């Protein structure tokens, strides 16, 4: 498990950038955390490392967006499962057709998106009270980003 403290939004984005540099087609990333924790900011960094077309915004109302690579690399499928009430609604998006060819990031996917792949990264972003050093930099709270790998292949790459 990786654990990173992010005192500013740029730090959360940087954590996504570092993770994204190790991702490849077929990888599933499930993001969880409260509203405003930084899931979309994290995804923006991840998308930057993949070199996909943006902008990367929360897909809350469209539910899923495909961001093609700008250089012939791996596309990003960015999903917001917040408004999905069941696994059947997730299945209706037909994401399994694109999982093998893309990096798939599912915000609010905990308890829903695990069925998309036998291997996945689960990223939990939690807000904590600002530490003294972070408060001195102007942070109201600090995000703690934890990454857990499930499945032998991802555990080897991210363990």
């Amino acid at each position: 498990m990786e654990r990173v403290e992010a005192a500013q939004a740029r730090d959360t984005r940087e954590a996504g950038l570092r993770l994204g540099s190790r991702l490849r087609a077929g990888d599933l990333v499930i993001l969880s955390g409260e509203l405003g924790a930084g899931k979309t900011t994290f995804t923006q960094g991840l998308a930057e490392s993949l070199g996909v077309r943006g902008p990367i915004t929360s897909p809350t109302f469209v539910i899923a967006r495909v961001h093609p690579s700008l250089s012939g690399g791996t596309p990003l499928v960015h999903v917001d499962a917040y408004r999905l009430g069941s696994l059947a609604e997730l299945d209706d998006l037909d994401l399994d057709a694109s999982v093998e060819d893309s990096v798939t990031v599912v915000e609010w996917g905990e308890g829903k998106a695990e069925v998309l792949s036998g291997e996945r990264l689960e990223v939990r972003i939690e807000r904590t009270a600002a530490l003294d050093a972070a408060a001195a930099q102007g942070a109201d709270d600090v995000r703690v980003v934890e990454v857990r790998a499930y499945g032998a292949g991802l555990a080897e790459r991210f363990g």
Side-chain angles (χ1 to χ4, degrees):
M1 176 178 72
E2 288 183 38
R3 180 182 166 100
V4 175
E5 289 184 359
Q8 304 287 333
R10 71 175 175 263
D11 301 325
T12 303
R13 188 179 176 113
E14 178 67 28
L17 187 69
R18 284 192 307 274
L19 181 78
S21 69
R22 297 185 289 168
L23 294 174
R24 53 185 176 223
D27 288 345
L28 171 64
V29 179
I30 299 174
L31 299 177
S32 63
E34 64 187 35
L35 190 64
K39 295 178 293 295
T40 300
T41 300
F42 182 89
T43 304
Q44 289 168 343
L46 192 149
E48 181 181 337
S49 72
L50 292 174
V52 298
R53 187 176 70 213
I56 306 300
T57 59
S58 178
T60 299
F61 296 104
V62 296
I63 302 185
R65 285 194 176 101
V66 177
H67 297 276
S69 173
L70 294 171
S71 62
T74 304
L76 171 68
V77 176
H78 185 198
V79 180
D80 187 323
Y82 182 76
R83 295 187 308 134
L84 299 179
S86 68
L87 292 174
E89 288 180 2
L90 182 66
D91 190 49
D92 287 344
L93 295 176
D94 201 24
L95 293 175
D96 53 349
S98 59
V99 166
E100 292 300 317
D101 301 322
S102 306
V103 168
T104 303
V105 175
V106 184
E107 294 188 30
W108 302 99
E110 188 175 39
K112 298 175 187 169
E114 295 86 354
V115 298
L116 295 173
S117 176
E119 295 197 347
R120 67 190 180 278
L121 293 173
E122 290 185 4
V123 178
R124 175 171 293 284
I125 304 173
E126 294 184 349
R127 294 156 98 168
T128 64
L131 304 173
D132 291 338
Q137 297 175 14
D140 292 327
D141 53 15
V142 173
R143 271 79 169 157
V144 175
V145 180
E146 291 183 346
V147 179
R148 292 181 192 258
Y150 293 88
L154 287 177
E156 188 175 308
R157 268 194 290 149
F158 293 91

